[in-house]
Amino acid sequence: MATKNYYETLGVKKDASADEIKSAYRKLAKKYHPDLNPNNQEAANKFKEINEAYEVLGDSQKKANYDQYGSADPQDFFKNAGGGTRGGFSGFSSQGFGGFEDIFSNIFSSGFGGGSSRNGAMQGNTLTTQINLTFEEAAFGAKKTINLVRTENCSHCNGTGAKAGTAYATCSDCGGSGQVRYTQNTLFGSFVNVGPCKKCNGTGKQIKEKCEHCAGKGVMKKASNITIDIPAGIDNEQIMTLHGYGDAGVRGGPNGDLQVLVRVLPHKLLERDGFDVHLELPVPFTIAMLGGKVVIPSLEGKLELNIPANTQTGTILKLKGKGIKQLNRSSKGDMFVKVTVELPNVSDKKKIAKVKAFAEEFEQKDYEDFQKYQNILKTL
């Protein structure tokens, strides 16, 4: 079976740094997240592939094994390599190895007794959840409580899986070292290697009597309430990664992460663009013509805004620093108010007469551009 190309899955080069790998993973995870692609099995499968790739490439030890053996578990290489010569040399190329030098390098790099230092510890799974925020909570930050079900270390055995946490015996296969020597037959002869003991999963210990509460697993499913701090300035569809808040690690491994997809509910009047805030403001034509003050909504509550005389429809007024706080910075965005001049619905005959008189008075003096436009139309 051909080894999956995790680098290709994440769209990064083999020499990509840890930060580049993490950045690529976050970008793809956001794109294919099930919450953003409901009832889309293709996206769900892609999301699963992305997480599988990052589970390996995001862990330095697993990545090293994958680069060396073509698998996060080095024993997978020997299982495939020991299948005889039926597949010829093509089996090695499918594992991601190059020429003979690479093959010998990967076999001898494990040494004759150097082996792996794995102790069976495994990082817990990464969990995902979603949280809804109001427009104001996203702008100013907030404390939110998340309810989720995750695996946690069994409190009765302290995560050991053994009754009372102490019912252990030394592993009979590895003598407590957690590692065993074994002979591997390859295309180039027999080699002696050292690998983690399968009987005790590399721990060097065997449970004499299992914990009755977790059945020897060391972890249990538990409903948890987690209070998290939402930073001011977070935006819609951003993903917060909380390290160590996922499933508990196995056999002393670190906890997994919790990824929180943020949904920001829309405001009734305000719209967000990055860290700026936009407002469309209807203004009576009398205030637009003569100038005046109006009350507008903002993130700081109600504000009094001065409308200059002769303000036209489409005019944008800028309120500096009245936008949203930038993430991890003290500066804020701006607020932009777009004016829409509202004309009255004139139906009364007396008012119509006044409007006509007004038009006749100002038509020649104050509507020069309009008159020029009319004159051009006559020549068409």
Side-chain angles (χ1 to χ4, degrees):
M1 181 184 295
T3 297
K4 296 178 181 179
N5 190 331
Y6 291 141
Y7 291 101
E8 185 176 297
T9 299
L10 295 183
V12 297
K13 296 181 180 179
K14 192 173 181 179
D15 59 354
S17 66
D19 288 339
E20 289 173 333
I21 291 173
K22 181 181 291 186
S23 177
Y25 165 70
R26 288 181 175 177
K27 183 178 180 180
L28 290 172
K30 179 180 178 181
K31 179 179 179 181
Y32 293 102
H33 196 285
D35 289 337
L36 299 179
N37 300 273
N39 302 319
N40 188 333
Q41 188 58 45
E42 184 178 349
N45 293 336
K46 186 69 175 177
F47 185 73
K48 184 178 180 181
E49 292 175 5
I50 293 166
N51 277 287
E52 180 183 335
Y54 184 66
E55 184 178 351
V56 173
L57 300 185
D59 183 292
S60 59
Q61 182 59 57
K62 291 180 181 179
K63 181 178 182 296
N65 289 337
Y66 176 74
D67 290 341
Q68 183 173 352
Y69 301 105
S71 170
D73 185 347
Q75 293 193 56
D76 290 342
F77 163 70
F78 294 106
K79 289 177 184 177
N80 293 326
T85 60
R86 182 172 50 189
F89 293 104
S90 62
F92 287 102
S93 63
S94 69
Q95 294 294 330
F97 294 98
F100 288 132
E101 297 84 355
D102 293 330
I103 296 171
F104 280 113
S105 173
N106 281 285
I107 290 177
F108 286 104
S109 64
S110 60
F112 295 96
S116 170
S117 60
R118 289 174 57 183
N119 63 357
M122 293 176 59
Q123 184 175 13
N125 295 322
T126 293
L127 303 179
T128 60
T129 189
Q130 176 179 310
I131 191 169
N132 294 327
L133 302 177
T134 66
F135 195 89
E136 290 79 7
E137 287 175 331
F140 295 108
K143 285 186 178 292
K144 302 292 286 188
T145 299
I146 296 176
N147 304 314
L148 73 157
V149 177
R150 62 179 179 177
T151 59
E152 297 184 4
N153 284 327
C154 175
S155 59
H156 301 278
C157 66
N158 296 319
T160 65
K163 186 176 182 179
T166 59
Y168 279 111
T170 300
C171 177
S172 58
D173 282 13
C174 66
S177 67
Q179 306 211 346
V180 293
R181 295 167 66 89
Y182 59 92
T183 301
Q184 178 64 45
N185 296 319
T186 73
L187 296 173
F188 308 100
S190 299
F191 299 95
V192 178
N193 290 278
V194 174
C197 176
K198 295 181 179 179
K199 190 170 187 177
C200 65
N201 292 316
T203 63
K205 300 176 182 180
Q206 285 182 281
I207 297 175
K208 293 168 60 177
E209 189 175 356
K210 292 182 180 180
C211 172
E212 62 270 24
H213 298 279
C214 65
K217 296 179 180 179
V219 293
M220 300 175 64
K221 285 284 187 182
K222 185 179 179 181
S224 303
N225 295 326
I226 301 172
T227 300
I228 63 173
D229 290 316
I230 306 297
I234 198 164
D235 206 349
N236 186 45
E237 295 188 359
Q238 283 191 306
I239 295 177
M240 293 178 57
T241 299
L242 307 176
H243 298 294
Y245 282 80
D247 280 343
V250 180
R251 294 183 291 275
N255 291 350
D257 298 333
L258 174 63
Q259 293 186 329
V260 183
L261 175 66
V262 175
R263 296 283 197 183
V264 180
L265 302 175
H267 192 277
K268 291 181 179 180
L269 296 174
L270 303 177
E271 289 189 5
R272 176 172 178 170
D273 180 18
F275 297 105
D276 294 329
V277 173
H278 293 261
L279 170 68
E280 289 202 8
L281 178 66
V283 174
F285 87 102
T286 52
I287 295 180
M289 178 182 294
L290 303 175
K293 296 183 181 295
V294 296
V295 176
I296 63 170
S298 77
L299 290 172
E300 299 177 4
K302 295 180 180 180
L303 294 179
E304 194 175 67
L305 176 66
N306 182 58
I307 305 296
N310 298 316
T311 294
Q312 305 296 314
T313 286
T315 298
I316 296 178
L317 304 176
K318 178 180 177 180
L319 284 71
K320 188 172 180 59
K322 298 298 183 181
I324 295 172
K325 180 181 179 298
Q326 299 187 28
L327 277 171
N328 304 318
R329 297 176 62 181
S330 59
S331 56
K332 290 184 178 182
D334 301 320
M335 182 174 180
F336 296 91
V337 181
K338 184 178 181 180
V339 175
T340 301
V341 179
E342 285 197 331
L343 298 176
N345 183 11
V346 181
S347 58
D348 181 82
K349 291 183 178 181
K350 291 183 178 180
K351 290 181 179 179
I352 292 175
K354 290 181 179 180
V355 171
K356 287 183 177 180
F358 173 83
E360 291 174 359
E361 180 181 354
F362 287 95
E363 190 175 53
Q364 298 299 325
K365 294 185 296 181
D366 299 296
Y367 294 95
E368 292 182 2
D369 290 339
F370 177 72
Q371 290 299 325
K372 290 179 182 178
Y373 177 76
Q374 292 296 318
N375 291 333
I376 293 174
L377 282 178
K378 293 177 183 178
T379 64
L380 297 178

